[in-house]
Amino acid sequence: MMTSTTPQWQFLQGGGEMGALTRAYDWSATALGSPDTWPQSLRTTVSIVLNNRFPMFLFWGPELLCFYNDGYRPILGYDGKHPDALGKPGDGVWTEVWLVIKPFIDQVLAGGPAIWSEDQLIPIHRNGRLEDVYWTFSFSPVADEWNKVAGVLVTCTETTEKVQQLATVVEFSKELKRQVAERTAELAASNIRLRRSNLELEQFAWVASHDLQEPLRKVRVFTGMLKKNEQLSTELLAKIDASTARMSKLIQDVLDFSRLTAPEELFADVHLDAAMREVLTDFELLIAEKRAVVQYHELPVIRGIPLQINQLLTNLLSNALKFCHPQRHPHIEVTAVAVTPQEMAAYPELVPGKKYCLLQVADNGIGFGQQHAEQIFNIFQRLHSREAFGGTGIGLALCKKIVLNHQGSISARAVPGEGAVFTVLLPYE
């Protein structure tokens, strides 16, 4: 409430807008009464507040009546608490934050030390709405003539802009870290691919100097014998034919291996059930010849390169049929189940967030020593002689490269003489 006249109390002189409003206020209608009856401690404190350019707010007396200066005025915004806050009890002025600031006031009034807080969120109602506002502030005791705490002086500054800027910096920082981490992961993946490519090149060099040279040496020996007419026979011609056929197969396998790529546009929905039926049709005669039993159960649909998935199943089934036990008929079982998040933890090479299915091909063949479980996936690595088991030693290497193309995983476990289980993890999407 403002009066029509403005008494000229000396201690209320100056102070800009808030000084004028304080002088014009009808203090006689409050518990404090007319300013000429105010205690000297209140007069001195109000004079300091009004004439200070730093934002200050004063709570005084049992009702915690409110005073503030021009420095504090902008903090209140527009269409909010100003000018109605002047001379009003604190609990009515600061309703929205009273539960937050009242404990600070009580602690100071009870004789506790001054309170300091930096960049604290205390929302206030201003500019027609409740705003999130950050503050750096101090609540300090003000003693009266009897050295009892009669008021609480609040010195403060709003730090909302600083906090928001810092939050923004913390966020372009988080984004930069994300980009760095993403790029680092890409570089790590590229490095792995490069090391894998170098290893394959080393293996190709080994093949060129050994496996491909062997049939060539035989051809040279046999053709030399033909030139000398030392042994012109059907058997000799058959050996030449077998050597050239083996070299042709080696070259074709090397080409197949080098052409395995995974461009995204080749990916499509692959029905493993349908793919399995096609593979079994291809092996129909061999399965009948070996009197093998092949079982599979409700294989799912995955996201992959159809031709490569077909080749993967073909090589795994071919491997199981080839390395069968001489004293029993082959029994092969193909199963697939979803991988749980807990199971994913056992495969750190998989892509986080992707859903995978676990495909297993189990057989009752000759098996192998578990110490060779990694070796069998290297190109042209063999555990048995060609005389005992045919092939070029590239089938499982092809399987591994196909699985890596699909961001999956392949492994094997076996017991000599009892069989082997190949485990493949492939993404659903």
Side-chain angles (χ1 to χ4, degrees), residues 9-15 19 22 38 40-53 56 58 67 69:
W9 293 294
Q10 187 64 33
F11 71 90
L12 290 179
Q13 296 308 303
T22 303
W38 290 1
Q40 186 59 46
S41 55
L42 176 57
R43 294 184 179 200
T44 301
T45 304
V46 170
S47 178
I48 292 173
V49 168
L50 291 177
N51 290 283
N52 199 300
R53 300 184 66 180
M56 289 185 172
L58 175 66
F67 298 82
N69 62 5

Side-chain angles (χ1 to χ4, degrees), residues 303-320:
R303 190 74 179 169
I305 303 173
L307 183 61
Q308 291 190 15
I309 296 299
N310 185 281
Q311 192 171 12
L312 171 68
L313 293 174
T314 297
N315 287 339
L316 289 176
L317 194 61
S318 173
N319 192 75

